[in-house]
Amino acid sequence: MQDKKYWENRWQLDQTGWDLKAPAPAIMELVLTNCSKEDKILIPGAGNAYEAATLFQEYGYVNIFICDWAEQPLDTFKKRNPNFPKDQILHINFFDIKQQFDFIIEQTFFCAIPVELRKSYCIKAYELLVQGGHIMGLLFNRNFDIEGPPFGGSKEEYETLFRGLFKIRRLENSQISIKARQGSELIFAFEKC
Ligand SMILES: C[S@@+](CC[C@H](N)C(=O)[O-])C[C@H]1O[C@@H](n2cnc3c(N)ncnc32)[C@H](O)[C@@H]1O
């Protein structure tokens, strides 16, 4: 079971193969072209949160919140970004967040949670967004041979899961994935109904 302890262990053992060591170009483009600097933005399961750091430090996005269950990446983030507002760093289970946001940014968090929680993720994302708010980011468009995480998925599966709560504004192959993920990621933007 991928509980809090599981993720803390992954960080402590440095088993963080998902970590890009830099902001993902597709995520940066999504935020820079869709969000204003004042929009309240949540990045759940943010890990080292390179995008949040760059958007805050270099582009003046002042209302970004990052969330992670594991303390280690958040401590590292605080050390690297001492001027990032502490109340925007949420050391909490995503499912326990109580605030509302204009945008939720998804990158390798959805694929990290157990598959049986996917519908709960959709409902929680819906609750966390203001009316007309958006969830957007990247989702895997493939399955994996070994037991996850990551847990894969397909365009059809995501459409079925999110439709009803969200309008599917965009769901297509990502053209600016990092090399190792080229051809296996969908870029998406869903608007809260
Ligand atoms: C695969 S990593 C991805 C990290 C980051 N998004 C990235 O792309 O580098 C998944 C992250 O989600 C966090 N996580 C898993 N379940 C969580 C939950 N229920 N609430 C908050 N964070 C969670 C883990 O601690 C881990 O840092």
Side-chain angles (χ1 to χ4, degrees), residues 56-103:
F56 178 79
Q57 304 291 2
E58 294 178 27
Y59 293 92
Y61 282 77
V62 290
N63 245 333
I64 299 189
F65 288 66
I66 62 170
C67 155
D68 207 289
W69 238 354
E71 200 159 18
Q72 186 170 316
L74 299 183
D75 282 346
T76 306
F77 183 89
K78 282 181 204 164
K79 284 188 193 115
R80 288 181 184 148
N81 303 281
N83 59 340
F84 192 93
K86 303 285 177 290
D87 62 349
Q88 292 173 211
I89 301 174
L90 311 178
H91 181 212
I92 186 174
N93 183 349
F94 164 73
F95 293 98
D96 292 335
I97 299 175
K98 299 279 188 273
Q99 311 182 40
Q100 278 200 312
F101 302 88
D102 299 302
F103 290 92

Side-chain angles (χ1 to χ4, degrees), residues 2 7 11 18-20 44-48 67-70 73 92-95 107-109 112-113:
Q2 291 78 42
W7 288 106
W11 282 101
W18 61 77
D19 190 293
L20 301 184
N48 277 320
C67 155
D68 207 289
W69 238 354
I92 186 174
N93 183 349
F94 164 73
F95 293 98
Q107 176 176 232
T108 64
F109 173 54
I113 61 166

Side-chain angles (χ1 to χ4, degrees), residues 9-166:
N9 277 341
R10 292 283 301 247
W11 282 101
Q12 275 156 21
L13 298 171
D14 205 19
Q15 291 175 353
T16 56
W18 61 77
D19 190 293
L20 301 184
K21 317 278 183 221
I27 298 293
M28 293 300 292
E29 188 183 287
L30 272 175
V31 174
L32 293 173
T33 56
N34 291 287
C35 309
S36 82
K37 294 184 182 179
E38 292 73 34
D39 281 332
K40 196 170 168 193
I41 301 169
L42 171 68
I43 308 182
N48 277 320
Y50 304 106
E51 296 82 7
T54 306
L55 289 162
F56 178 79
Q57 304 291 2
E58 294 178 27
Y59 293 92
Y61 282 77
V62 290
N63 245 333
I64 299 189
F65 288 66
I66 62 170
C67 155
D68 207 289
W69 238 354
E71 200 159 18
Q72 186 170 316
L74 299 183
D75 282 346
T76 306
F77 183 89
K78 282 181 204 164
K79 284 188 193 115
R80 288 181 184 148
N81 303 281
N83 59 340
F84 192 93
K86 303 285 177 290
D87 62 349
Q88 292 173 211
I89 301 174
L90 311 178
H91 181 212
I92 186 174
N93 183 349
F94 164 73
F95 293 98
D96 292 335
I97 299 175
K98 299 279 188 273
Q99 311 182 40
Q100 278 200 312
F101 302 88
D102 299 302
F103 290 92
I104 297 174
I105 304 300
E106 168 56 49
Q107 176 176 232
T108 64
F109 173 54
F110 181 85
C111 71
I113 61 166
V115 173
E116 59 270 23
L117 290 184
R118 286 189 167 179
K119 193 68 202 175
S120 304
Y121 170 105
C122 297
I123 294 167
K124 186 66 190 177
Y126 179 88
E127 289 170 2
L128 287 172
L129 287 168
V130 298
Q131 205 57 45
H134 290 73
I135 180 168
M136 55 190 195
L138 295 165
L139 292 166
F140 279 117
N141 189 20
R142 58 165 292 192
N143 284 307
F144 295 90
D145 295 334
I146 50 166
E147 178 64 15
F151 302 102
S154 67
K155 193 174 175 195
E156 294 69 32
E157 185 188 343
Y158 304 139
E159 278 170 345
T160 305
L161 264 173
F162 284 89
R163 192 171 278 147
L165 295 176
F166 294 88

